[in-house]
Amino acid sequence: MPEMEKLVNMQKQDLHRNKRRKTNVPFETFASWMDRDVSTVEKAVRALSDEGFKAQSDVPPKRCKDMVEFDVLCSVSDILLSGRYLKFSRRVSQSPWKVEDHGEEKTSKVDSSVEDIIVPKLKEQFLAEHATFIPGGREDVDVRMLGTGRPFVVRISGARKVPSRATEEVVAKLEVEINRDGGELVKVVELARTDKRHLEWMRSVESQKRKTYACVIRLNRPPSTGDLEKLNALTEMKIIQKTPVRVFHRYSSD
């Protein structure tokens, strides 16, 4: 409070006058502003001349005789890791899939999940409080993910262990350990440190990606040349289907 009073005394004309309403501002009101807004204090201090500061302050300052107690809160920014995963099993979901069995404890409907294989190893490495698995799209549990794999990002929050050196070596080691735990179910490639720009790119690509599907059609008669020509001439088709039972717990049928 004494410091605020000195600031008011040093800048009476500027700090006690509301420029918009041209009315005097009581000291209590001004003090409450300063208590809430650090920028108000900074502006007041910057406006001081050297002579004005010396007139209202002790230069050099007096030695403090009282013990000072304060709390220090340290936090670390989120760590983002990107990569691509391949899924070789039709019994592995992308995220954990557990259901309640007749009111009892939830049981898993699949052998494992991509998230369960990747995330725990990263949380263990960075001693993190939380980690979020963010995939670039999704596939059904009974669909494999082959080829170059599906992109993903893991956001690691509250890390208590952050390597300051040899980051590439640490990430490469993590990739090897994840693939060892994944066995014949899941494999991770191109694991690396990344930033928010990569996450934004992945989300933009997800909404614009063009998908190609192949299927087998059974007919009760051999197709004629005319049938094939009609199919090849189609440019747009509307597919009407009901929600598959395997994903019915997540989506409603249109």
Side-chain angles (χ1 to χ4, degrees), residues 81-99:
L81 293 175
S82 66
R84 309 180 76 91
Y85 75 81
L86 291 86
K87 182 163 73 81
F88 307 112
S89 172
R90 300 183 188 275
R91 289 280 305 166
V92 173
S93 59
Q94 187 182 76
S95 57
W97 183 13
K98 295 182 179 181
V99 296

Side-chain angles (χ1 to χ4, degrees), residues 139-170:
E139 70 279 340
D140 290 338
V141 61
D142 59 350
V143 175
R144 295 181 296 173
M145 175 51 60
L146 307 177
T148 58
R150 182 180 296 280
F152 70 88
V153 170
V154 177
R155 185 194 303 275
I156 300 172
S157 306
R160 299 190 297 275
K161 178 182 177 183
V162 182
S164 58
R165 297 181 180 179
T167 304
E168 293 183 0
E169 288 80 355
V170 171

Side-chain angles (χ1 to χ4, degrees), residues 79-82 118-119 122 131-134 152-156:
I79 300 173
L80 296 178
L81 293 175
S82 66
I118 296 176
V119 171
L122 300 180
T132 305
F133 181 70
I134 309 171
F152 70 88
V153 170
V154 177
R155 185 194 303 275
I156 300 172

Side-chain angles (χ1 to χ4, degrees), residues 241-244 247-254:
Q241 68 174 35
K242 293 185 178 297
T243 302
V247 295
F248 193 74
H249 66 289
R250 294 197 298 266
Y251 299 95
S252 61
S253 180
D254 295 334

Side-chain angles (χ1 to χ4, degrees), residues 61 70 81 93 127 179 201 213 223:
F70 57 89
L81 293 175
S93 59
L127 299 179
N179 290 336
W201 167 84
Y213 292 89

Side-chain angles (χ1 to χ4, degrees), residues 17-157:
R17 184 166 296 280
N18 186 310
K19 293 183 179 180
R20 293 184 179 178
R21 299 182 181 178
K22 304 297 181 181
T23 57
N24 290 333
V25 179
F27 169 75
E28 293 76 11
T29 303
F30 174 72
S32 66
W33 291 350
M34 299 183 79
D35 187 49
R36 295 194 308 265
D37 189 1
V38 177
S39 64
T40 304
V41 180
E42 293 177 347
K43 292 177 181 177
V45 173
R46 289 196 187 99
L48 294 176
S49 63
D50 293 342
E51 292 75 13
F53 184 82
K54 291 179 181 179
Q56 296 291 337
S57 304
D58 298 320
V59 180
K62 295 180 180 180
R63 183 175 181 180
C64 182
K65 297 180 180 180
D66 299 327
M67 181 179 294
V68 178
E69 296 182 1
F70 57 89
D71 297 326
V72 178
L73 177 62
C74 299
S75 61
V76 62
S77 301
D78 291 347
I79 300 173
L80 296 178
L81 293 175
S82 66
R84 309 180 76 91
Y85 75 81
L86 291 86
K87 182 163 73 81
F88 307 112
S89 172
R90 300 183 188 275
R91 289 280 305 166
V92 173
S93 59
Q94 187 182 76
S95 57
W97 183 13
K98 295 182 179 181
V99 296
E100 192 172 327
D101 189 9
H102 301 292
E104 300 177 358
E105 185 178 352
K106 291 185 177 182
T107 58
S108 178
K109 296 286 290 184
V110 291
D111 295 339
S112 184
S113 72
V114 177
E115 182 177 339
D116 285 335
I117 292 174
I118 296 176
V119 171
K121 185 62 66 176
L122 300 180
K123 290 181 63 178
E124 177 185 347
Q125 171 64 37
F126 295 98
L127 299 179
E129 297 177 357
H130 184 69
T132 305
F133 181 70
I134 309 171
R138 59 173 298 278
E139 70 279 340
D140 290 338
V141 61
D142 59 350
V143 175
R144 295 181 296 173
M145 175 51 60
L146 307 177
T148 58
R150 182 180 296 280
F152 70 88
V153 170
V154 177
R155 185 194 303 275
I156 300 172
S157 306

